[in-house]
Amino acid sequence: MASLVTFHAHPDDECIVCGGVMRKAYEDGHRVVLVVATRGENGEVPEGFLAEGEPLWRRRVAETEAAAEILGVARVEFLGYIDSGMMGEPANDAPGSFWTADVEEAAEKLAAILREENAEVLTCYDDHGNYGHPDHIQVHRVGMRAAELAGTPRVFQATASRERMIAGMERSGQPMPPREQLQAVGTPEAEIGTVVDVTPWLSYKRQAMRAHPSQISEESAFLAMPDEAFAVAFGTEWFIRPDQEPGVVTDDLFK
């Protein structure tokens, strides 16, 4: 049995980006640990969803714990930073925001968990956070440095196939973003070295998304998809491994 530590920015990111590999690792007999940088304080929630006086962060923590159980997670940790909001918002620079965190300090917090778990594998995000969210970019910076500090041997940067994401948008019939925005989403598939087919675990991935109703409602684009469309959108999880030779493609985080 080995340990997988999967590092994310906000509650619900884990099931969208890595839910399949997390459940797969659990079923393969590995220990799965989820670390979340923030408690998602600046997420958008429908009016009337929360009880009077209930803070959003408390609900999102509970949702994360419920999703983690579905995905086979043995341990959940929050690093204690505050959600930085979308790029360019005032929340980016708020005291305690993850975006303003000292990378070395945050990395040492994560490295301590990696050492405790004797982690063989760490997942973080690619260098532009897949789509430019400040907290996702910071996950990359902190995750890569933490792996150096802890000596974690296998690091995978979660990303997505840019070509497939664009094709999916085109099939949806929705208005397309400007071309320059599209070129900032995901990674060209030729640069992605680890491609994991997670279709056997899609039911768990979908259940984990449902465990986050404050952010992913039944009417959302994710959960409203028919099973076939959901499989196309979420049946593959994509990773960059920095030390992997160009042109080599693998399909497992532990091999």
mmCIF file of all heavy atoms in Angstrom, residues 33-66:
data_model
loop_
_atom_site.group_PDB
_atom_site.id
_atom_site.type_symbol
_atom_site.label_atom_id
_atom_site.label_comp_id
_atom_site.label_asym_id
_atom_site.label_seq_id
_atom_site.Cartn_x
_atom_site.Cartn_y
_atom_site.Cartn_z
ATOM 1 N N VAL A 33 -5.269 10.692 0.811
ATOM 2 C CA VAL A 33 -5.331 11.844 1.709
ATOM 3 C C VAL A 33 -5.693 13.075 0.880
ATOM 4 O O VAL A 33 -5.072 13.337 -0.159
ATOM 5 C CB VAL A 33 -3.992 12.063 2.429
ATOM 6 C CG1 VAL A 33 -4.030 13.319 3.293
ATOM 7 C CG2 VAL A 33 -3.641 10.839 3.272
ATOM 8 N N LEU A 34 -6.681 13.821 1.328
ATOM 9 C CA LEU A 34 -7.127 15.032 0.642
ATOM 10 C C LEU A 34 -6.712 16.249 1.454
ATOM 11 O O LEU A 34 -7.029 16.343 2.650
ATOM 12 C CB LEU A 34 -8.650 15.013 0.472
ATOM 13 C CG LEU A 34 -9.322 16.294 -0.020
ATOM 14 C CD1 LEU A 34 -8.828 16.704 -1.398
ATOM 15 C CD2 LEU A 34 -10.844 16.135 -0.008
ATOM 16 N N VAL A 35 -6.008 17.178 0.810
ATOM 17 C CA VAL A 35 -5.618 18.442 1.439
ATOM 18 C C VAL A 35 -6.233 19.580 0.625
ATOM 19 O O VAL A 35 -6.080 19.623 -0.599
ATOM 20 C CB VAL A 35 -4.088 18.601 1.500
ATOM 21 C CG1 VAL A 35 -3.722 19.912 2.198
ATOM 22 C CG2 VAL A 35 -3.453 17.421 2.236
ATOM 23 N N VAL A 36 -6.918 20.492 1.308
ATOM 24 C CA VAL A 36 -7.585 21.611 0.641
ATOM 25 C C VAL A 36 -7.034 22.909 1.220
ATOM 26 O O VAL A 36 -6.975 23.083 2.444
ATOM 27 C CB VAL A 36 -9.120 21.547 0.818
ATOM 28 C CG1 VAL A 36 -9.804 22.589 -0.073
ATOM 29 C CG2 VAL A 36 -9.641 20.147 0.498
ATOM 30 N N ALA A 37 -6.623 23.809 0.351
ATOM 31 C CA ALA A 37 -5.963 25.042 0.800
ATOM 32 C C ALA A 37 -6.922 25.978 1.535
ATOM 33 O O ALA A 37 -6.552 26.613 2.525
ATOM 34 C CB ALA A 37 -5.351 25.763 -0.395
ATOM 35 N N THR A 38 -8.158 26.091 1.044
ATOM 36 C CA THR A 38 -9.130 27.026 1.613
ATOM 37 C C THR A 38 -10.433 26.285 1.919
ATOM 38 O O THR A 38 -10.614 25.138 1.524
ATOM 39 C CB THR A 38 -9.443 28.175 0.638
ATOM 40 O OG1 THR A 38 -10.376 27.722 -0.361
ATOM 41 C CG2 THR A 38 -8.189 28.691 -0.064
ATOM 42 N N ARG A 39 -11.337 26.981 2.565
ATOM 43 C CA ARG A 39 -12.652 26.399 2.841
ATOM 44 C C ARG A 39 -13.719 26.948 1.900
ATOM 45 O O ARG A 39 -14.910 26.785 2.147
ATOM 46 C CB ARG A 39 -13.018 26.642 4.306
ATOM 47 C CG ARG A 39 -12.055 25.968 5.276
ATOM 48 C CD ARG A 39 -12.434 26.138 6.725
ATOM 49 N NE ARG A 39 -12.400 27.528 7.152
ATOM 50 C CZ ARG A 39 -12.568 27.945 8.413
ATOM 51 N NH1 ARG A 39 -12.774 27.047 9.366
ATOM 52 N NH2 ARG A 39 -12.511 29.222 8.724
ATOM 53 N N GLY A 40 -13.285 27.605 0.825
ATOM 54 C CA GLY A 40 -14.228 28.054 -0.201
ATOM 55 C C GLY A 40 -15.175 29.145 0.246
ATOM 56 O O GLY A 40 -16.334 29.204 -0.174
ATOM 57 N N GLU A 41 -14.660 30.070 1.049
ATOM 58 C CA GLU A 41 -15.510 31.100 1.636
ATOM 59 C C GLU A 41 -16.192 32.000 0.612
ATOM 60 O O GLU A 41 -17.259 32.568 0.896
ATOM 61 C CB GLU A 41 -14.678 31.988 2.577
ATOM 62 C CG GLU A 41 -14.141 31.284 3.812
ATOM 63 C CD GLU A 41 -12.813 30.562 3.597
ATOM 64 O OE1 GLU A 41 -12.387 30.408 2.431
ATOM 65 O OE2 GLU A 41 -12.222 30.163 4.611
ATOM 66 N N ASN A 42 -15.595 32.163 -0.568
ATOM 67 C CA ASN A 42 -16.142 33.095 -1.560
ATOM 68 C C ASN A 42 -16.897 32.402 -2.692
ATOM 69 O O ASN A 42 -17.123 32.994 -3.742
ATOM 70 C CB ASN A 42 -15.019 33.961 -2.130
ATOM 71 C CG ASN A 42 -14.526 34.984 -1.122
ATOM 72 O OD1 ASN A 42 -15.330 35.658 -0.485
ATOM 73 N ND2 ASN A 42 -13.226 35.077 -0.937
ATOM 74 N N GLY A 43 -17.292 31.164 -2.478
ATOM 75 C CA GLY A 43 -18.122 30.488 -3.471
ATOM 76 C C GLY A 43 -19.480 31.159 -3.595
ATOM 77 O O GLY A 43 -19.933 31.880 -2.699
ATOM 78 N N GLU A 44 -20.134 30.913 -4.715
ATOM 79 C CA GLU A 44 -21.469 31.469 -4.955
ATOM 80 C C GLU A 44 -22.517 30.439 -4.552
ATOM 81 O O GLU A 44 -22.441 29.273 -4.940
ATOM 82 C CB GLU A 44 -21.630 31.842 -6.428
ATOM 83 C CG GLU A 44 -20.688 32.953 -6.870
ATOM 84 C CD GLU A 44 -20.873 33.326 -8.335
ATOM 85 O OE1 GLU A 44 -21.729 32.702 -8.992
ATOM 86 O OE2 GLU A 44 -20.158 34.225 -8.798
ATOM 87 N N VAL A 45 -23.486 30.872 -3.790
ATOM 88 C CA VAL A 45 -24.519 29.969 -3.291
ATOM 89 C C VAL A 45 -25.884 30.605 -3.515
ATOM 90 O O VAL A 45 -26.045 31.818 -3.371
ATOM 91 C CB VAL A 45 -24.276 29.655 -1.793
ATOM 92 C CG1 VAL A 45 -24.402 30.900 -0.941
ATOM 93 C CG2 VAL A 45 -25.191 28.564 -1.307
ATOM 94 N N PRO A 46 -26.897 29.820 -3.907
ATOM 95 C CA PRO A 46 -28.227 30.399 -4.153
ATOM 96 C C PRO A 46 -28.808 31.030 -2.893
ATOM 97 O O PRO A 46 -28.593 30.542 -1.776
ATOM 98 C CB PRO A 46 -29.057 29.181 -4.587
ATOM 99 C CG PRO A 46 -28.067 28.154 -5.021
ATOM 100 C CD PRO A 46 -26.845 28.382 -4.197
ATOM 101 N N GLU A 47 -29.539 32.095 -3.087
ATOM 102 C CA GLU A 47 -30.182 32.766 -1.960
ATOM 103 C C GLU A 47 -31.129 31.801 -1.254
ATOM 104 O O GLU A 47 -31.886 31.064 -1.887
ATOM 105 C CB GLU A 47 -30.949 33.991 -2.460
ATOM 106 C CG GLU A 47 -31.525 34.836 -1.336
ATOM 107 C CD GLU A 47 -32.173 36.114 -1.833
ATOM 108 O OE1 GLU A 47 -32.030 36.418 -3.044
ATOM 109 O OE2 GLU A 47 -32.822 36.792 -1.022
ATOM 110 N N GLY A 48 -31.049 31.777 0.057
ATOM 111 C CA GLY A 48 -31.917 30.907 0.834
ATOM 112 C C GLY A 48 -31.391 29.505 1.030
ATOM 113 O O GLY A 48 -32.021 28.693 1.728
ATOM 114 N N PHE A 49 -30.245 29.186 0.442
ATOM 115 C CA PHE A 49 -29.696 27.835 0.555
ATOM 116 C C PHE A 49 -29.201 27.565 1.973
ATOM 117 O O PHE A 49 -29.417 26.480 2.526
ATOM 118 C CB PHE A 49 -28.558 27.643 -0.444
ATOM 119 C CG PHE A 49 -27.976 26.257 -0.460
ATOM 120 C CD1 PHE A 49 -28.490 25.286 -1.306
ATOM 121 C CD2 PHE A 49 -26.920 25.913 0.374
ATOM 122 C CE1 PHE A 49 -27.964 23.997 -1.323
ATOM 123 C CE2 PHE A 49 -26.385 24.624 0.364
ATOM 124 C CZ PHE A 49 -26.912 23.670 -0.487
ATOM 125 N N LEU A 50 -28.530 28.543 2.556
ATOM 126 C CA LEU A 50 -27.971 28.374 3.893
ATOM 127 C C LEU A 50 -28.993 28.737 4.959
ATOM 128 O O LEU A 50 -29.876 29.572 4.740
ATOM 129 C CB LEU A 50 -26.733 29.263 4.056
ATOM 130 C CG LEU A 50 -25.563 28.995 3.104
ATOM 131 C CD1 LEU A 50 -24.502 30.076 3.263
ATOM 132 C CD2 LEU A 50 -24.967 27.614 3.341
ATOM 133 N N ALA A 51 -28.869 28.108 6.116
ATOM 134 C CA ALA A 51 -29.716 28.465 7.254
ATOM 135 C C ALA A 51 -29.325 29.862 7.739
ATOM 136 O O ALA A 51 -28.219 30.345 7.487
ATOM 137 C CB ALA A 51 -29.539 27.449 8.371
ATOM 138 N N GLU A 52 -30.221 30.515 8.433
ATOM 139 C CA GLU A 52 -29.947 31.855 8.925
ATOM 140 C C GLU A 52 -28.714 31.834 9.827
ATOM 141 O O GLU A 52 -28.620 31.050 10.774
ATOM 142 C CB GLU A 52 -31.152 32.393 9.703
ATOM 143 C CG GLU A 52 -30.989 33.839 10.146
ATOM 144 C CD GLU A 52 -32.238 34.400 10.798
ATOM 145 O OE1 GLU A 52 -33.275 33.697 10.803
ATOM 146 O OE2 GLU A 52 -32.168 35.528 11.318
ATOM 147 N N GLY A 53 -27.752 32.678 9.501
ATOM 148 C CA GLY A 53 -26.533 32.765 10.289
ATOM 149 C C GLY A 53 -25.493 31.702 9.979
ATOM 150 O O GLY A 53 -24.405 31.715 10.563
ATOM 151 N N GLU A 54 -25.795 30.790 9.068
ATOM 152 C CA GLU A 54 -24.846 29.723 8.755
ATOM 153 C C GLU A 54 -23.766 30.238 7.796
ATOM 154 O O GLU A 54 -24.072 30.716 6.706
ATOM 155 C CB GLU A 54 -25.570 28.541 8.106
ATOM 156 C CG GLU A 54 -24.643 27.400 7.724
ATOM 157 C CD GLU A 54 -25.356 26.280 6.965
ATOM 158 O OE1 GLU A 54 -26.515 26.481 6.544
ATOM 159 O OE2 GLU A 54 -24.740 25.212 6.789
ATOM 160 N N PRO A 55 -22.492 30.146 8.145
ATOM 161 C CA PRO A 55 -21.445 30.587 7.221
ATOM 162 C C PRO A 55 -21.244 29.558 6.112
ATOM 163 O O PRO A 55 -21.337 28.351 6.351
ATOM 164 C CB PRO A 55 -20.206 30.689 8.111
ATOM 165 C CG PRO A 55 -20.460 29.721 9.220
ATOM 166 C CD PRO A 55 -21.948 29.695 9.443
ATOM 167 N N LEU A 56 -20.959 30.048 4.927
ATOM 168 C CA LEU A 56 -20.767 29.151 3.788
ATOM 169 C C LEU A 56 -19.637 28.177 4.042
ATOM 170 O O LEU A 56 -19.737 26.999 3.678
ATOM 171 C CB LEU A 56 -20.515 29.961 2.518
ATOM 172 C CG LEU A 56 -20.187 29.158 1.251
ATOM 173 C CD1 LEU A 56 -21.300 28.173 0.911
ATOM 174 C CD2 LEU A 56 -19.922 30.097 0.071
ATOM 175 N N TRP A 57 -18.553 28.617 4.656
ATOM 176 C CA TRP A 57 -17.397 27.741 4.833
ATOM 177 C C TRP A 57 -17.751 26.480 5.615
ATOM 178 O O TRP A 57 -17.253 25.402 5.320
ATOM 179 C CB TRP A 57 -16.241 28.474 5.503
ATOM 180 C CG TRP A 57 -16.447 28.832 6.950
ATOM 181 C CD1 TRP A 57 -16.842 30.043 7.447
ATOM 182 C CD2 TRP A 57 -16.252 27.983 8.089
ATOM 183 N NE1 TRP A 57 -16.914 30.005 8.818
ATOM 184 C CE2 TRP A 57 -16.560 28.749 9.234
ATOM 185 C CE3 TRP A 57 -15.863 26.657 8.250
ATOM 186 C CZ2 TRP A 57 -16.489 28.240 10.533
ATOM 187 C CZ3 TRP A 57 -15.793 26.137 9.542
ATOM 188 C CH2 TRP A 57 -16.102 26.919 10.665
ATOM 189 N N ARG A 58 -18.637 26.630 6.608
ATOM 190 C CA ARG A 58 -18.990 25.464 7.420
ATOM 191 C C ARG A 58 -19.717 24.420 6.578
ATOM 192 O O ARG A 58 -19.472 23.215 6.689
ATOM 193 C CB ARG A 58 -19.841 25.900 8.603
ATOM 194 C CG ARG A 58 -20.154 24.779 9.588
ATOM 195 C CD ARG A 58 -20.777 25.334 10.844
ATOM 196 N NE ARG A 58 -19.807 26.159 11.573
ATOM 197 C CZ ARG A 58 -20.149 27.108 12.456
ATOM 198 N NH1 ARG A 58 -21.415 27.365 12.703
ATOM 199 N NH2 ARG A 58 -19.218 27.791 13.080
ATOM 200 N N ARG A 59 -20.618 24.879 5.707
ATOM 201 C CA ARG A 59 -21.334 23.957 4.836
ATOM 202 C C ARG A 59 -20.367 23.283 3.859
ATOM 203 O O ARG A 59 -20.455 22.081 3.610
ATOM 204 C CB ARG A 59 -22.427 24.707 4.062
ATOM 205 C CG ARG A 59 -23.226 23.841 3.102
ATOM 206 C CD ARG A 59 -24.109 22.841 3.816
ATOM 207 N NE ARG A 59 -25.155 23.494 4.584
ATOM 208 C CZ ARG A 59 -26.388 23.710 4.133
ATOM 209 N NH1 ARG A 59 -26.732 23.307 2.923
ATOM 210 N NH2 ARG A 59 -27.277 24.317 4.896
ATOM 211 N N ARG A 60 -19.436 24.050 3.334
ATOM 212 C CA ARG A 60 -18.522 23.487 2.343
ATOM 213 C C ARG A 60 -17.546 22.484 2.964
ATOM 214 O O ARG A 60 -17.160 21.511 2.313
ATOM 215 C CB ARG A 60 -17.772 24.611 1.616
ATOM 216 C CG ARG A 60 -18.712 25.509 0.812
ATOM 217 C CD ARG A 60 -17.993 26.359 -0.199
ATOM 218 N NE ARG A 60 -17.558 25.558 -1.340
ATOM 219 C CZ ARG A 60 -16.883 26.047 -2.373
ATOM 220 N NH1 ARG A 60 -16.554 27.338 -2.398
ATOM 221 N NH2 ARG A 60 -16.518 25.270 -3.367
ATOM 222 N N VAL A 61 -17.171 22.698 4.196
ATOM 223 C CA VAL A 61 -16.333 21.712 4.888
ATOM 224 C C VAL A 61 -17.100 20.406 5.059
ATOM 225 O O VAL A 61 -16.562 19.306 4.810
ATOM 226 C CB VAL A 61 -15.859 22.259 6.247
ATOM 227 C CG1 VAL A 61 -15.285 21.139 7.111
ATOM 228 C CG2 VAL A 61 -14.810 23.349 6.048
ATOM 229 N N ALA A 62 -18.362 20.508 5.482
ATOM 230 C CA ALA A 62 -19.181 19.302 5.650
ATOM 231 C C ALA A 62 -19.371 18.580 4.320
ATOM 232 O O ALA A 62 -19.342 17.340 4.251
ATOM 233 C CB ALA A 62 -20.531 19.674 6.258
ATOM 234 N N GLU A 63 -19.566 19.341 3.248
ATOM 235 C CA GLU A 63 -19.715 18.737 1.925
ATOM 236 C C GLU A 63 -18.434 18.015 1.508
ATOM 237 O O GLU A 63 -18.488 16.927 0.913
ATOM 238 C CB GLU A 63 -20.082 19.816 0.904
ATOM 239 C CG GLU A 63 -21.485 20.386 1.095
ATOM 240 C CD GLU A 63 -21.802 21.540 0.163
ATOM 241 O OE1 GLU A 63 -20.874 22.045 -0.517
ATOM 242 O OE2 GLU A 63 -22.975 21.957 0.113
ATOM 243 N N THR A 64 -17.296 18.620 1.812
ATOM 244 C CA THR A 64 -16.020 17.992 1.462
ATOM 245 C C THR A 64 -15.852 16.669 2.185
ATOM 246 O O THR A 64 -15.400 15.667 1.598
ATOM 247 C CB THR A 64 -14.856 18.933 1.808
ATOM 248 O OG1 THR A 64 -15.031 20.166 1.110
ATOM 249 C CG2 THR A 64 -13.517 18.325 1.427
ATOM 250 N N GLU A 65 -16.205 16.636 3.446
ATOM 251 C CA GLU A 65 -16.078 15.398 4.216
ATOM 252 C C GLU A 65 -16.998 14.313 3.665
ATOM 253 O O GLU A 65 -16.616 13.135 3.597
ATOM 254 C CB GLU A 65 -16.363 15.680 5.684
ATOM 255 C CG GLU A 65 -15.259 16.529 6.330
ATOM 256 C CD GLU A 65 -15.609 17.037 7.706
ATOM 257 O OE1 GLU A 65 -16.799 16.950 8.087
ATOM 258 O OE2 GLU A 65 -14.698 17.545 8.403
ATOM 259 N N ALA A 66 -18.203 14.712 3.230
ATOM 260 C CA ALA A 66 -19.131 13.741 2.646
ATOM 261 C C ALA A 66 -18.601 13.208 1.319
ATOM 262 O O ALA A 66 -18.653 12.001 1.042
ATOM 263 C CB ALA A 66 -20.506 14.382 2.452
#
